[in-house]
């Protein structure tokens, strides 16, 4: 048993010691997202997406619309399952006829409360490739918290983005770069931003933790803040699952300290999912302090 425990500790040590990998661009504070009334959100035709899935969507004047506050024009509204682990969502907006839809994304928890906001700056321009067109593109990594059935993803554009443009790469320059030739001295086209366009979503489910935790660990009243942030920052202390039955043998002091330090490091790094897993594993091995350490660490970060 001691040999197995040592192997477990070594494995966990490699995991805890690894740096948290975040997106190159982090989402904005959800408080700066354009306000949308609850009635509007509830009235939208939310379309379920079950990963793995890839979907092309044409946004035009017959698509669902929101013309409220800063939001203007066609939108796309999706529900994503909250029981598939972490989700990776790649959103691409395709340029056509020197026009492009500049997307922003609002992620909401099961209770339709805003939990993460990705403004259009999160979706930078990508030049055309051998199998791809000019596009605005970004990837979201989301971890639905336990106890939810689904989360929501709303794609829209804003009045501010409609006043902007995107400089594209001239196709001749893209071709020259692809074959290794010098780029010709010709101007690049400018794409105007539009209330319509074509977007592509690719959604996959992952076993590893995503960067953004959406929702509470247990269903909560609407007034309770949600857990949200570029490193799963905690706005309110989540409620851990009930403690498992304690094994007959108590945990050794050194092992107890090891797990408690790992929990503290994970919470400090914003990886609540990892901290929960460490707490659960420690309690299975006989820890009597891991739960207290987890709750204290989360409350101290809130």
């Amino acid at each position: 048993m001691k040999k197995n425990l040592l192997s477990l500790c070594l494995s966990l040590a490699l995991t805890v010691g690894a740096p948290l990998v975040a997106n190159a661009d982090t989402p904005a504070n959800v408080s700066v997202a354009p306000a949308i009334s609850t009635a509007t959100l509830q009235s939208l035709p939310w379309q379920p997406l079950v990963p793995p899935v890839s979907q092309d969507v044409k946004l035009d004047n017959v698509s669902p619309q929101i013309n409220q506050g800063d939001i203007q024009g066609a939108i796309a509204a999706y529900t994503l399952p909250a029981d598939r682990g972490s989700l990776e969502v790649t959103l691409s907006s395709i340029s056509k006829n020197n026009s492009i839809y500049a997307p922003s994304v609002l992620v909401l928890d099961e209770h339709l409360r805003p939990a993460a906001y990705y403004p259009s700056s999160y979706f930078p321009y990508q030049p055309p490739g051998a199998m791809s067109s000019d596009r605005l593109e970004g990837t979201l990594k989301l971890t639905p918290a336990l106890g939810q059935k689904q989360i929501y993803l709303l794609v829209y554009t804003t009045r501010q983005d409609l006043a902007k443009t995107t400089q594209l790469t001239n196709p001749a320059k893209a071709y020259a770069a692809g074959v290794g030739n010098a780029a010709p001295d010709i101007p690049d086209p400018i794409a105007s931003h539009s209330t319509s366009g074509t977007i592509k979503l690719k959604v996959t489910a992952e076993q590893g933790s995503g960067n953004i935790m959406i929702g509470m660990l247990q269903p909560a009243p609407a007034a309770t803040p949600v857990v949200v942030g570029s490193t799963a920052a905690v706005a309110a202390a989540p409620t851990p699952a009930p403690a498992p039955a304690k094994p007959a043998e108590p945990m050794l002091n050194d092992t107890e300290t090891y797990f408690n330090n790992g929990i503290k490091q994970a919470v400090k790094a914003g990886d609540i999912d990892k901290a929960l897993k460490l707490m659960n594993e420690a309690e299975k091995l006989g820890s009597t302090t891991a739960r207290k350490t987890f709750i204290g660490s989360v409350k101290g970060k809130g």
Side-chain angles (χ1 to χ4, degrees), residues 46-292:
W46 298 96
Q47 178 185 348
L49 290 180
V50 180
V53 62
S54 181
Q55 185 176 90
D56 293 333
V57 182
K58 184 178 181 181
L59 300 176
D60 53 26
N61 57 3
V62 299
S63 302
Q65 308 275 319
I66 293 182
N67 295 294
Q68 185 178 118
D70 290 332
I71 302 176
Q72 182 76 34
I75 60 95
Y78 302 98
T79 62
L80 302 174
D83 59 355
R84 301 292 182 95
S86 296
L87 301 170
E88 182 172 288
V89 182
T90 298
L91 171 63
S92 307
S93 180
I94 312 303
S95 170
K96 186 175 182 181
N97 298 327
N98 290 344
S99 176
I100 198 165
Y101 183 94
S104 292
V105 173
L106 183 64
V107 184
L108 306 106
D109 70 2
E110 185 181 48
H111 304 287
L112 284 174
R113 298 174 300 197
Y117 172 50
Y118 297 82
S120 60
S121 58
Y122 191 87
F123 304 92
Y125 170 71
Q126 302 294 330
M131 301 294 292
S132 58
S133 305
D134 295 274
R135 64 205 184 279
L136 303 177
E137 185 172 272
T139 298
L140 291 59
K141 290 180 178 287
L142 309 170
T143 299
L146 302 177
Q148 301 181 103
K149 294 181 180 179
Q150 62 188 11
I151 61 174
Y152 298 84
L153 190 147
L154 178 63
V155 183
Y156 58 83
T157 195
T158 67
R159 296 179 187 275
Q160 290 86 349
D161 284 313
L162 289 171
K164 300 176 183 178
T165 59
T166 294
Q167 180 173 304
L168 309 179
T169 298
N170 192 292
K173 288 184 178 179
Y175 174 79
V179 298
N181 294 336
D185 186 16
I186 51 178
D188 291 315
I190 302 295
S192 59
H193 291 183
S194 174
T195 56
S196 60
T198 300
I199 62 173
K200 179 176 182 179
L201 285 100
K202 180 180 180 182
V203 185
T204 58
E206 304 176 316
Q207 294 302 313
S209 173
N211 291 333
I212 310 299
M213 185 173 285
I214 305 300
M216 301 298 295
L217 293 177
Q218 299 292 339
T224 304
V226 295
V227 179
V228 60
S230 61
T231 55
V234 178
T239 304
K246 297 293 189 296
E249 297 182 17
M251 178 177 280
L252 298 175
N253 289 339
D254 289 345
T255 307
E256 185 103 40
T257 300
Y258 169 81
F259 276 96
N260 286 341
N261 288 339
I263 291 168
K264 292 176 183 177
Q265 292 174 19
V267 172
K268 184 178 181 180
D271 197 337
I272 305 301
D273 187 60
K274 181 187 290 184
L276 274 171
K277 290 178 181 177
L278 286 171
M279 182 199 76
N280 291 332
E281 192 61 40
E283 290 189 331
K284 289 178 183 178
L285 296 172
S287 172
T288 59
T289 63
R291 182 169 293 261
K292 181 178 179 181

